[in-house]
Amino acid sequence: MATEARTINLALTGASGAQYGLRLLQCLVARGCRVNVMVSKAARVVLATETDVRLPGSTSGSLAALQTYTGATDGQLRVFGHEDWFAPPASGSGEQSPLVICPCSTGTLSALATGASDNLIERAGDVALKERRQLILVPREAPYSEVHLENMLRLTRMGAVIMPASPGFYHRPESVDDLVDFIVARLLDHLGLPQDLVPRWGEGRADA
């Protein structure tokens, strides 16, 4: 499923739901996108807990692991360290690319809502907001506290899209992978990329 090469910034943080971020990365690679990948320290722990993916501490090791996992070609992925301030997503003069934080921890939500920029992921989110770039946040938490909800409302008013990792069931999922694909399909839709992971509403409608 080829499309015109686009650059997408993708960050994984320490919320549960690493599968969503990995599946999105697979799909972006399959669609020929170039992807700037940022992985927080907590996200590495979650990846090792929830999946079979192990990312070494070095950016070169992480790049090699993600290339193997996704089948990316040379140059299609770039992995940036937690404090790599020269990474393109860290500046408004960098490439005008969407940013998806998937999964997005509530700590990251708080940092973005208050303008903190203590690491590359937070700085990339701050840049996306100030430059009015597309910013999609995928929180995975339950229940939400008043602070979480206030931060999400504040970020929505700033222009971000809050897309909780709350899959639907009307496509009659038969596996966990089907549930993950539901959210990833919605993310691809918002990024303007083709997807055939889940039928669109009204397509293949079951007989009454």
Side-chain angles (χ1 to χ4, degrees):
M1 189 181 294
T3 188
E4 182 181 352
R6 293 180 57 195
T7 298
I8 306 294
N9 298 317
L10 173 62
L12 285 75
T13 62
S16 178
Q19 296 89 339
Y20 292 108
L22 288 177
R23 180 59 170 151
L24 177 59
L25 181 59
Q26 280 183 324
C27 291
L28 293 175
V29 167
R31 284 151 184 77
C33 295
R34 299 181 299 269
V35 189
N36 295 324
V37 183
M38 297 160 279
V39 183
S40 73
K41 294 178 181 179
R44 294 175 188 274
V45 176
V46 174
L47 281 165
T49 302
E50 297 184 344
T51 76
D52 294 328
V53 176
R54 302 292 185 271
L55 296 186
S58 67
T59 54
S60 59
S62 294
L63 174 60
L66 291 174
Q67 281 182 319
T68 298
Y69 183 82
T70 62
T73 59
D74 289 343
Q76 194 174 5
L77 297 182
R78 291 187 292 178
V79 176
F80 296 101
H82 205 47
E83 295 183 340
D84 188 348
W85 306 115
F86 289 98
S91 175
S93 60
E95 186 173 0
Q96 297 277 335
S97 304
L99 171 61
V100 183
I101 304 182
C102 176
C104 181
S105 68
T106 54
T108 302
L109 281 175
S110 175
L112 295 179
T114 57
S117 296
D118 290 336
N119 57 59
L120 177 59
I121 294 174
E122 294 172 5
R123 173 59 183 169
D126 193 45
V127 168
L129 289 170
K130 78 183 185 70
E131 298 290 330
R132 302 296 192 267
R133 296 176 185 171
Q134 187 176 21
L135 174 61
I136 306 175
L137 308 174
V138 186
R140 210 294 321 149
E141 186 61 79
Y144 291 123
S145 73
E146 181 178 354
V147 172
H148 300 154
L149 295 168
E150 287 178 346
N151 286 336
M152 285 188 275
L153 177 59
R154 182 178 298 178
L155 286 163
T156 298
R157 288 172 172 166
M158 293 179 189
V161 170
I162 307 295
M163 189 177 297
S166 304
F169 289 83
Y170 51 79
H171 63 305
R172 298 190 178 183
E174 298 179 353
S175 67
V176 172
D177 289 343
D178 290 342
L179 295 172
V180 171
D181 279 353
F182 182 94
I183 296 299
V184 172
R186 298 293 290 124
L187 292 169
L188 294 173
D189 279 342
H190 275 258
L191 292 170
L193 294 168
Q195 71 86 13
D196 56 4
L197 302 177
V198 176
R200 298 186 181 282
W201 182 255
E203 294 179 358
R205 185 173 59 184
D207 293 335

